[in-house]
Amino acid sequence: HYASQMLREALSHTETDDASGQRHLRSSLERIHDSLSFRPVMEADLPVGFPPFTPLHSIEIKTYPTYRLAKADHVPGPRNSAFNSMFNHIKRNKIAMTAPVQMEYSPDGGVIVEESMSFLYRDRDLGATGVDRQDVRVEVMDVPAAAFVSTGVRGAMTQRSVLSARERLIEWLGKHADQYEAAGNVRTMGYNSPFVPEQMKFFEVQIPIRALNPSNDDDRIKEDGDGTQKASAVRFERGSARWKRR
C-alpha cells in the first residue's frame, strides 16, 4: 500500500531522539492519516469509462479512453468567462454536468498560465462535435485515449498548489526516466464546485506521458472483447518503483 511506503520513508528520514526529527515524524504521520481518511465530495458522475480519482498524496499512472468534451479557450478578462460559456453550452444543449472539470495550462517562466477549460460529456454518444453556433468560443471535440501520471491534491486550486504537485510529478518522471517521458503540459482535473468548503475540495494534477518501451502495457488502454475501451490506473508507492493495478 502506498501509505506503508510513506511510513517507511518517514521513519528512515527521522532521528527520533531529536526534536526536529520528532516534528518531522509527527508531520509525516498527519500526512499519512490525511491520505487514508480523506474522501472527496463527489458532486457529479464521472464520464463513462473513466478511472476513479487518484488518492490524496498518491502518484499513479492513469489511462483514459477516448472521451467527448466541450472546450473554451481562456481569453483576457473575467476569470469565470470560460466557465459561463461552458455552463451555458451544457444548459442550452441539455447536457448533464459531470466531474471532473478539465483545465489545461502552459508554462510561462516560473508560473503556469491557464489555456482552456473543458466540461466533459458523460458519454461520447451525446451531441455532436464542432463549434457551438451560439457561442463560437465553445468547441465540442473527442479527445484520443491517453496516459497521464497523476497525483491527488486537497484544498483550493491555487498557482502554488498546482506548481507544487507538478514538481512532484516531474521528480517522479525523473526517477522513471528509463520508462516514461512527458508528452505535454500539465493539466488539472477539478472535482468540486465553489459550494464545497475549501478544506474539502479535491483535484488532480496530471502530466501526459508516453512509454519508452512499447512492450510495457501498464499505460495502454485496455479493450473488452467487443472493442469497448476501458480505463485503468497503476498506482506507484511513494518514492519507489513498486506498483499495483486497480
Side-chain angles (χ1 to χ4, degrees):
H1 195 280
Y2 70 95
S4 300
Q5 179 64 24
M6 291 173 68
L7 179 58
R8 285 193 292 271
E9 283 194 343
L11 293 173
S12 67
H13 292 90
T14 300
E15 295 294 337
T16 55
D17 57 349
D18 178 78
S20 62
Q22 292 282 357
R23 287 193 296 270
H24 180 273
L25 180 59
R26 187 180 304 110
S27 175
S28 298
L29 291 175
E30 290 173 353
R31 184 178 177 86
I32 293 168
H33 179 269
D34 196 30
S35 299
L36 293 172
S37 62
F38 180 75
R39 293 292 181 270
V41 178
M42 302 302 290
E43 299 180 275
D45 292 332
L46 294 169
V48 172
F50 260 44
F53 65 87
T54 302
L56 190 64
H57 306 315
S58 177
I59 291 179
E60 66 182 2
I61 291 175
K62 300 179 76 168
T63 56
Y64 290 89
T66 301
Y67 60 95
R68 180 163 294 180
L69 56 72
K71 178 178 181 179
D73 290 336
H74 176 75
V75 295
R79 176 175 167 77
N80 63 354
S81 60
F83 178 90
N84 289 339
S85 289
M86 302 303 307
F87 183 78
N88 290 333
H89 167 82
I90 63 171
K91 182 179 179 181
R92 186 166 55 245
N93 292 280
K94 297 180 171 58
I95 303 296
M97 187 75 178
T98 65
V101 171
Q102 177 177 310
M103 297 181 68
E104 297 177 325
Y105 302 82
S106 62
D108 184 8
V111 300
I112 51 174
V113 178
E114 182 183 328
E115 291 258 317
S116 64
M117 174 183 287
S118 300
F119 283 5
L120 282 50
Y121 280 36
R122 175 159 173 74
D123 196 290
R124 285 177 60 201
D125 294 333
L126 295 173
T129 58
V131 176
D132 186 332
R133 294 182 179 180
Q134 297 189 52
D135 187 345
V136 296
R137 286 191 58 193
V138 179
E139 182 177 2
V140 179
M141 62 185 72
D142 289 335
V143 179
F148 292 78
V149 60
S150 175
T151 188
V153 184
R154 179 179 183 176
M157 190 186 297
T158 63
Q159 182 86 193
R160 180 178 179 180
S161 62
V162 175
L163 283 173
S164 176
R166 173 175 171 261
E167 287 306 308
R168 292 199 302 273
L169 296 178
I170 290 174
E171 180 182 0
W172 185 93
L173 283 170
K175 293 178 179 178
H176 297 83
D178 60 329
Q179 297 173 275
Y180 305 99
E181 66 180 4
N185 292 327
V186 68
R187 76 177 186 181
T188 58
M189 303 292 264
Y191 286 80
N192 297 124
S193 70
F195 303 106
V196 173
E198 186 171 293
Q199 70 272 18
M200 293 302 297
K201 288 183 177 186
F202 177 81
F203 62 97
E204 295 164 317
V205 177
Q206 302 180 339
I207 295 176
I209 59 172
R210 67 172 63 92
L212 299 180
N213 182 358
S215 65
N216 286 343
D217 70 350
D218 49 30
D219 68 341
R220 292 206 303 254
I221 295 294
K222 303 299 181 185
E223 292 190 352
D224 286 334
D226 60 0
T228 303
Q229 291 178 338
K230 296 174 65 179
S232 66
V234 178
R235 184 179 305 163
F236 285 77
E237 293 188 350
R238 188 175 178 86
S240 78
R242 297 177 58 194
W243 59 270
K244 65 178 181 179
R245 191 178 301 281
R246 65 186 180 100

